[in-house]
Amino acid sequence: MNALTRAHELTHLGVLEAEAIHIFREAVAEFERPVLLFSGGKDSIVMLHLAGLAFAPAPVPFPVMHVDTGHNFPEVLAYRDMAVDRAGVRLLVAGVQEYIDDGRLHERADGTRNPLQTVPLLDAIRTNRFDAVFGGGRRDEEKARAKERVFSVRDEFGQWDPRRQRPELWSLYNGRHRPGEHVRVFPLSNWTELDVWQYIEEQRIVLPSIYFAHRREVFRRDGMWLAPGAWGGPKNGEPTEVRSVRYRTVGDMSCTGAVDSTARTVPEVIVEIAASTLTERGASRADDRMSEAAMEDRKREGYF
């Protein structure tokens, strides 16, 4: 191998970046009305960054959409609005609270609204006639997500059928779908949590402060540190305390747990993740603990 060949070798992160950019470009070439799901969480932040690289110097050629439970962390919502404004993209918000207010959805007994996101999401896809929806799902997160292809067809009801998975040999993606169906597209499918953080460090991507160690009032439930909030926690017998914590993933406050941490910088977070034996969802998402097949059940119903 000569020096010129070595100089053009891609690093591991370079390969993942190139693959994600290819996926974005393929999807935009195949579909008429794509949209990117954007919550202000680290995976969607990295996706928006990659979309910017994929189409530069032109603007990102699709809007972003957030399915807002009404119980999201204020720090993340503030970051979401700032990031969208900076990127110059249009933000659509599908709100769970609106559906509860007019009776289309009802609060769950456990207070969590994460499962309630499915109906507003599917309604927004139908109303806006989106035929491709970019999501930040990664195969390392959870076993149901490990089954899903990069291009994942959803039927006219938004449901996922594992039996309809298509082969994707040689990075060839099949976006064909019937009228009324749409395709979920996962540019980060082959990334790991560690890859995401190492890419954030390499690209100097700014994240919401919630991802780094800070002092926060929390209480213990089912082995997780949850934050008090308008969603109804804590209950009687659940005392609060102030701890040094951070969040590995962000979502509805009722089911997103913090982890004990002193990692205040990206390099410190990388060291912490490298030593962890739990996936981020396994460590911090109560909604994935409802049953052995909780995520797969929600995906069959139309969840992310």
Side-chain angles (χ1 to χ4, degrees), residues 102-122:
D102 65 19
R104 285 177 288 175
L105 288 174
H106 300 283
E107 294 277 17
R108 291 167 52 93
D110 59 10
T112 183
R113 289 186 174 181
N114 240 34
L116 303 184
Q117 294 178 91
T118 300
V119 173
L121 169 66
L122 296 179

Side-chain angles (χ1 to χ4, degrees), residues 37 118 121-122 125 130-131 133 135 144-145 148-149 151-162 164-166 175-186 295-304:
L37 295 177
T118 300
L121 169 66
L122 296 179
I125 291 171
F130 293 130
D131 52 0
V133 181
R145 284 183 165 166
E148 201 153 22
R149 299 288 194 264
F151 276 33
S152 179
V153 178
R154 302 298 176 104
D155 67 19
E156 63 271 27
F157 303 106
Q159 297 174 337
W160 175 64
D161 184 350
R164 292 187 65 195
Q165 296 289 281
R166 298 165 174 173
R176 294 183 64 184
H177 59 286
R178 302 185 188 100
E181 296 181 339
H182 70 276
V183 176
R184 303 285 171 92
V185 181
F186 301 103
M295 173 63 80
E296 183 157 338
D297 290 343
R298 294 202 305 278
K299 290 177 79 67
R300 287 177 184 271
E301 294 168 359
Y303 187 72
F304 309 146

Side-chain angles (χ1 to χ4, degrees), residues 85-240:
D85 183 65
R86 185 176 57 194
V89 295
R90 181 165 62 101
L91 171 66
L92 306 173
V93 178
V96 170
Q97 186 65 55
E98 177 185 337
Y99 279 67
I100 292 172
D101 290 344
D102 65 19
R104 285 177 288 175
L105 288 174
H106 300 283
E107 294 277 17
R108 291 167 52 93
D110 59 10
T112 183
R113 289 186 174 181
N114 240 34
L116 303 184
Q117 294 178 91
T118 300
V119 173
L121 169 66
L122 296 179
D123 283 354
I125 291 171
R126 280 191 290 267
T127 300
N128 293 280
R129 296 184 292 111
F130 293 130
D131 52 0
V133 181
F134 294 107
R138 307 188 321 268
R139 288 183 175 132
D140 77 317
E141 290 182 278
E142 201 274 339
K143 57 188 178 184
R145 284 183 165 166
K147 294 180 182 180
E148 201 153 22
R149 299 288 194 264
V150 174
F151 276 33
S152 179
V153 178
R154 302 298 176 104
D155 67 19
E156 63 271 27
F157 303 106
Q159 297 174 337
W160 175 64
D161 184 350
R163 295 170 298 182
R164 292 187 65 195
Q165 296 289 281
R166 298 165 174 173
E168 294 180 335
L169 302 175
W170 307 296
S171 298
L172 296 175
Y173 305 113
N174 183 353
R176 294 183 64 184
H177 59 286
R178 302 185 188 100
E181 296 181 339
H182 70 276
V183 176
R184 303 285 171 92
V185 181
F186 301 103
L188 305 184
S189 189
N190 293 322
W191 298 50
T192 65
E193 182 187 12
L194 187 59
D195 293 329
V196 170
W197 276 97
Q198 289 175 334
Y199 188 73
I200 287 166
E201 180 182 38
E202 179 186 273
Q203 298 291 309
R204 299 182 180 179
I205 297 172
V206 178
L207 297 181
S209 59
I210 199 170
Y211 279 108
F212 304 97
H214 57 286
R215 304 286 292 177
R216 183 181 287 264
E217 184 181 20
V218 292
F219 65 93
R220 197 75 166 169
R221 178 182 293 173
D222 297 330
M224 296 173 57
W225 293 115
L226 297 176
W231 58 273
K235 299 177 181 177
N236 293 334
E238 294 177 328
T240 63

